[in-house]
Amino acid sequence: MEFTLDFNSDKVYDVVIIGAGPAGSSAAIYTARAGLSTLVLFRAEADGALGVTQQIENYPGIRGPISGYELLKLIRDHAKAFGAEFVRGKVIATDLLGEVKKLYTIDGREFKGRAVIVASGAMERTNKYKGEEELLGRGISYCGVCDAAFFKGRPVAVVGEDDYALEETEFIARFASKIYLVVPSSRIKAPHEMVSEIESNPKVEVLLHHRVLEVAGNSVVEGLWVQSVSTKEKKLLPVDGVFIFLGGNKPSVDFLMNQVEMTDEHCIVVNEEMMTSVPGVFACGDVLCNNIKQAVIAAADGVKAALAVDKYLNKKAKITAQW
């Protein structure tokens, strides 16, 4: 995966979609097919809850079994066929109150759109490790692209279990002398070819089914305490840095910076047309905290948001259906 800061920020898209799960990618099919210039920003290839699902057998029209990652690729390829652009970039900040909405990614790029659809899912962490907050910026990092170069020739740990963590590990390995990849689960939730590539990297030691106990250090990171889930053995990894790429079940909405109305549980509030409290900003999928979490429901939310965007941008009196 190539990373670059060279991006033409002068272009203003009709709609920028944050998230390429079933909600965001389905929205992109409809906005692109409606002739709206569409950009989808996504965190990782197998992003979101669907991307790490091993087997799907109940998605309409896809008898399966099929992996969530394969299903996502089908939906994204459908959107790309209509002209939607997909760009990898984790959104960390936004300016949504103007006529032109601005979005900023963790690697310093700026993207602009006349409308925004938030489909970033609900996989943020709710709990932090002991020592994590105290050592943030002093060895703790959440961005390999930003901070890997600071650990050139030094040992680090990466904590994660999906393709996002693997992509970041591959980048960090260009600089670090050694990487301990700490995987909380019994398997890495990523495509087989990506797992094989990481496992064959001589710099990377994979620690499957290990949980983090504590980040060690006073003023800077001095190590990482981990424990094997199966054997209960504890050990201190001698590292100078810890990169954390884990998910949870909290809505991924920090980048909105309280510009749209949300509930006390950080769920985005929308009207019947999926518009938030800010005109031109729409939301769909798991950020709405629907009780039923199914890919087909998220996809339907995305379609509703896309049709509403078409109405909003083209100043239509009512939503018109696409066939």
Side-chain angles (χ1 to χ4, degrees):
M1 177 67 66
E2 282 299 320
F3 297 87
T4 177
L5 302 185
D6 182 17
F7 184 82
N8 179 10
S9 61
D10 292 333
K11 180 171 182 177
V12 178
Y13 290 87
D14 289 323
V15 57
V16 179
I17 300 171
I18 306 172
S25 296
S26 297
I29 293 174
Y30 275 69
T31 56
R33 186 171 181 267
L36 302 175
S37 58
T38 300
L39 172 68
V40 184
L41 296 174
F42 63 97
R43 189 190 68 149
E45 287 292 336
D47 206 4
L50 180 61
V52 298
T53 301
Q54 274 193 294
Q55 189 167 300
I56 301 290
E57 293 185 318
N58 59 357
Y59 194 87
I62 308 293
R63 292 190 61 182
I66 186 174
S67 72
Y69 177 61
E70 291 172 318
L71 178 57
L72 272 184
K73 286 180 64 177
L74 290 175
I75 302 173
R76 291 172 184 171
D77 287 345
H78 194 168
K80 291 175 184 177
F82 286 123
E85 297 178 41
F86 284 72
V87 172
R88 185 180 177 209
K90 182 179 180 180
V91 177
I92 61 168
T94 54
D95 179 359
L96 304 174
L97 302 182
E99 184 176 344
V100 174
K101 320 299 182 185
K102 300 176 182 178
L103 302 90
Y104 305 94
T105 58
I106 199 167
D107 54 8
R109 291 175 293 173
E110 177 188 74
F111 299 87
K112 299 175 182 177
R114 296 167 57 212
V116 168
I117 297 177
V118 180
S120 46
M123 293 191 71
E124 288 298 311
R125 295 167 65 214
T126 53
N127 299 313
K128 296 187 181 296
Y129 299 125
K130 184 178 180 181
E132 180 180 342
E133 288 190 340
E134 293 83 353
L135 296 172
L136 180 61
R138 292 182 286 174
I140 294 288
S141 175
Y142 307 124
C143 177
V145 178
C146 309
D147 298 328
F150 294 120
F151 297 92
K152 186 173 183 179
R154 300 160 67 187
V156 301
V158 172
V159 185
E161 57 188 7
D162 60 12
D163 75 315
Y164 179 51
L166 296 193
E167 289 172 359
E168 293 282 348
T169 298
E170 187 277 329
F171 185 84
I172 297 166
R174 303 178 193 180
F175 301 90
S177 59
K178 181 177 179 62
I179 298 176
Y180 296 94
L181 177 57
V182 181
V183 182
S185 302
S186 58
R187 68 177 184 88
I188 300 175
K189 302 170 184 177
H192 175 72
E193 59 272 15
M194 294 184 67
V195 176
S196 297
E197 185 174 344
I198 284 295
E199 290 178 336
S200 64
N201 190 316
K203 288 187 175 182
V204 179
E205 179 179 339
V206 180
L207 301 176
L208 282 176
H209 223 191
H210 279 67
R211 66 187 187 97
V212 173
L213 299 177
E214 179 182 354
V215 182
N218 293 315
S219 59
V220 296
V221 169
E222 298 172 4
L224 183 69
W225 281 102
V226 299
Q227 181 180 38
S228 169
V229 174
S230 56
T231 68
K232 307 304 180 185
E233 177 191 2
K234 299 177 183 178
K235 58 183 173 182
L236 177 65
L237 304 179
V239 297
D240 296 336
V242 178
F243 292 83
I244 302 174
F245 307 110
L246 283 178
N249 54 19
K250 176 184 173 184
S252 305
V253 293
D254 287 349
F255 56 83
L256 294 175
M257 303 158 68
N258 296 315
Q259 294 173 89
V260 304
E261 181 183 356
M262 289 185 281
T263 69
D264 292 339
E265 292 74 34
H266 304 285
C267 308
I268 300 178
V269 176
V270 296
N271 63 16
E272 66 277 6
E273 294 184 354
M274 316 306 281
M275 187 184 284
T276 70
S277 58
V278 176
V281 180
F282 302 77
C284 55
D286 286 351
V287 293
L288 306 182
C289 301
N290 293 322
N291 289 330
I292 303 175
K293 291 190 176 183
Q294 292 286 293
V296 66
I297 294 176
D301 277 352
V303 172
K304 289 170 64 177
L307 294 175
V309 166
D310 179 47
K311 172 192 171 185
Y312 170 80
L313 292 178
N314 290 305
K315 296 179 170 51
K316 297 179 180 180
K318 62 180 181 178
I319 288 178
T320 54
Q322 289 186 28
W323 305 104

